[in-house]
C-alpha cells in the first residue's frame, strides 16, 4: 500500500520530467528573448527593406538553432525524438536564393512561433510543478 504511493517518486522518468519542466522555463526565456527581440527589430525596420529582410532571415536562422536546442532537450530528458521537418539548406550557389528559401519556409516560421508561444506555458508549468510536488510531499 505505502510502496504504491511512493512508486512515482522512485521512477527516474518522473524526475527527468520534472527537470524537463524546470529547464523549460530557462530555455524558453532565453529563446523568447533572443527571437522576439530580433523579430521586433526586423519589423520595426521595415522602412529599410534590406536591413529588415536580413534581420528576418537572421530571426529564422536563430529560431532554427533554438528549436534544435529544444529538440535535443526533449531527447535527452524525455527520450522523445522530434525530427526537424525543415527542408535542407538550398544548394544554390546564389546567396539570395538560399535566403529566399529560408524566408519562405513554413517550418522556419513555425519554429519562430514555437519560440514565442512556448514561453508563457513553460513559465506556468515551471512555477506550478514545484508547488504540486511540494503539495504531494506534504499530503
Amino acid at each position: 500500500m505505502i510502496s504504491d504511493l511512493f512508486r512515482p517518486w522512485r521512477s527516474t522518468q518522473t524526475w527527468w520530467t520534472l527537470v524537463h519542466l524546470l529547464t523549460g522555463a530557462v530555455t524558453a526565456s532565453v529563446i523568447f528573448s533572443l527571437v522576439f527581440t530580433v523579430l521586433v527589430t526586423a519589423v520595426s525596420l521595415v522602412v529599410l527593406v534590406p536591413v529588415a529582410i536580413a534581420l528576418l532571415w537572421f530571426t529564422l536562422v536563430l529560431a532554427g538553432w533554438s528549436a534544435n536546442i529544444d529538440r535535443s532537450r526533449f531527447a535527452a530528458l524525455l527520450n522523445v525524438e522530434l525530427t526537424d521537418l525543415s527542408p535542407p539548406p538550398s544548394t544554390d550557389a546564389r546567396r539570395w536564393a538560399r535566403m529566399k528559401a529560408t524566408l519562405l519556409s513554413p517550418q522556419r516560421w513555425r519554429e519562430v512561433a514555437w519560440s514565442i508561444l512556448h514561453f508563457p506555458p513553460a513559465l506556468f508549468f515551471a512555477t506550478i510543478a514545484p508547488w504540486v510536488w511540494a503539495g504531494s510531499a506534504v499530503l
Side-chain angles (χ1 to χ4, degrees), residues 21-73:
L21 285 173
L22 297 178
T23 59
V26 175
T27 57
S29 300
V30 171
I31 290 170
F32 175 81
S33 299
L34 292 174
V35 172
F36 190 71
T37 302
V38 177
L39 182 65
V40 168
T41 305
V43 170
S44 66
L45 290 175
V46 75
V47 179
L48 305 170
V49 174
V51 175
I53 289 174
L55 281 175
L56 276 177
W57 175 80
F58 182 66
T59 302
L60 294 173
V61 170
L62 188 63
W65 289 340
S66 61
N68 285 335
I69 290 170
D70 233 9
R71 282 187 202 99
S72 66
R73 188 173 63 88

Side-chain angles (χ1 to χ4, degrees), residues 59-128:
T59 302
L60 294 173
V61 170
L62 188 63
W65 289 340
S66 61
N68 285 335
I69 290 170
D70 233 9
R71 282 187 202 99
S72 66
R73 188 173 63 88
F74 272 83
L77 297 175
L78 299 179
N79 293 327
V80 175
E81 293 294 329
L82 300 173
T83 57
D84 185 5
L85 299 177
S86 58
S90 174
T91 58
D92 197 347
R94 297 174 300 171
R95 185 176 298 162
W96 174 247
R98 289 191 311 252
M99 187 180 283
K100 182 180 173 185
T102 302
L103 286 170
L104 297 177
S105 171
Q107 178 60 28
R108 292 294 178 207
W109 287 104
R110 274 187 236 124
E111 290 170 348
V112 170
W114 168 259
S115 300
I116 294 171
L117 297 176
H118 177 243
F119 179 60
L123 285 182
F124 174 76
F125 288 120
T127 305
I128 295 301

